Amino acid sequence: MKTKNSFAASFSTSFKALAWSFVLGILFIPGLVISLVLLPWLPLIARGADALTRAASAWAGRAVPPREANRWFDVRQAGNLVVQLLIGFVSFTVWLGGGITVGILYAAPFLVDELQFGAWAVADPVQKVAISWALATIALAVTVALTVGAGLLSLWLAGMILAPSAEDLARSRAVIIDSFSGERRRIERELHDGPQQHLTALKLNVAAARIAKEPEDLKAALDAADKNASDALAQLRGVVRGIAPQVLYDNGLVAAVEELIAHSGLDVTLQRGGGDIGPLDETTALLAYHCVAEGLTNATRHGGADKIEVSIAANELAPAMVSPLRTLTVRVKDNGRGLGGSRGAGGEGVDKQGSGTGGTGIAGLRERAAALGGTVSLSDVAGGAQLRMDLPIHPAT
């Protein structure tokens, strides 16, 4: 069974490499012409080649980890464009030359009365078909082998060129560690400022009840203890809800977001976009939930918003930069000050493209989304700001 699965995986990889090589051959001439004619816009063309190559790599099961490219001219993207054009030229030549050769050899027995191979001539119809078709089959096998090799080489070089460097990985790990440290400090602060204070007061209430001599004093101490216990329990539930609510695992993302909105005390509208979200794997669902929670906090704490729109949608056609799979899109739009306000100046340290990493909230979301093959952006929109997350939808296991 293991050998059978390995053979199926190898066949699938080879077939996808063959298909990718065919695409490279088809795109070679248009790509070369566009690159030469629009040379001043080469960075934009290279960015498109980056997106197309990443989509092909993900489709072939060799997804390239995301990296932060230079905003104006990225050397790696330009190098990938040149490499893909060169491999496209090889693919174009092999497909065209091999296809013509194979076609002629298969048709030759029916087009000529006699086949000549140097001084050797074959006129017998059966021998003509046998020899010509044998050569055609060999030529076909060589053509397929060369094109599969070109496709595999293209995907391998794309992974080598476009993958993040050691410095990028170290910076990404540092951001994730920083985000987890910030989350830990947030939990510690909320526990200290909320449940711990009520539990301390509860302990004092119990002590007061023990020394109470009058029924009225005992009743007052017990009432205060009951209130402090209820408040501590409610705040503990709030802290746990911010980490990973149980309803998320029991009833799904939409139900968890509805509960989050209900307990937020904010004027929030939830919209369901097109496409059936279906069951999500726990990692994707939890990250999408944290995106909504971060968006609500960011909109009110840093943007001063009083009205927020949350949108959750599943798109059948995913952006090429994300994944060839179906994509979960989460948007949190507010009517606050936008990025020109405190969010851009100091709150989260992001620019209008959401590329900064000054804060652990948005930056942590971005790094965790990138690890899943997704993207996160924070941008100005009409009347406020919008936090958007796109994540590939993997079938729940």
Side-chain angles (χ1 to χ4, degrees), residues 167-341:
E167 292 77 10
D168 294 332
L169 293 175
R171 183 166 54 251
S172 176
R173 279 195 293 266
V175 171
I176 293 178
I177 292 173
D178 191 26
S179 68
F180 283 130
S181 298
E183 183 69 9
R184 178 180 57 81
R185 289 191 296 270
R186 180 191 69 82
I187 294 172
E188 290 176 349
R189 182 173 62 252
E190 291 187 0
L191 289 175
H192 177 270
D193 296 342
Q196 181 174 323
Q197 302 299 324
H198 290 293
L199 291 175
T200 301
L202 175 61
K203 186 175 181 180
L204 295 175
N205 297 146
V206 172
R210 286 177 177 172
I211 63 175
K213 297 181 179 179
E214 299 295 331
E216 293 80 3
D217 296 337
L218 177 61
K219 183 178 184 303
L222 292 177
D223 289 342
D226 180 70
K227 182 178 184 305
N228 281 313
S230 299
D231 291 342
L233 182 59
Q235 293 189 358
L236 277 175
R237 286 173 176 167
V239 174
V240 172
R241 188 182 300 115
I243 301 172
Q246 186 60 40
V247 66
L248 179 67
Y249 306 120
D250 293 340
N251 301 322
L253 175 62
V254 175
V257 171
E258 289 175 343
E259 183 181 88
L260 176 65
I261 292 173
H263 289 86
S264 67
L266 304 172
D267 184 6
V268 183
T269 302
L270 176 61
Q271 298 179 348
R272 288 286 306 275
D276 179 24
I277 296 176
L280 301 171
D281 65 282
E282 293 184 357
T283 303
T284 301
L286 183 59
L287 186 55
Y289 176 85
H290 282 165
C291 177
V292 176
E294 178 65 28
L296 297 179
T297 301
N298 195 49
T300 54
R301 181 179 298 173
H302 304 296
D306 55 15
K307 295 187 69 175
I308 305 172
E309 295 180 3
V310 177
S311 172
I312 302 175
N315 303 321
E316 293 295 337
L317 296 177
M321 287 295 290
V322 180
S323 168
L325 301 171
R326 295 172 61 242
T327 299
L328 174 69
T329 300
V330 178
R331 296 184 184 88
V332 182
K333 179 182 176 182
D334 62 68
N335 67 342
R337 291 185 290 269
L339 302 188

Side-chain angles (χ1 to χ4, degrees), residues 386-397:
Q386 176 179 271
L387 175 64
R388 171 171 175 157
M389 173 181 285
D390 292 293
L391 293 174
I393 297 179
H394 297 280
T397 56

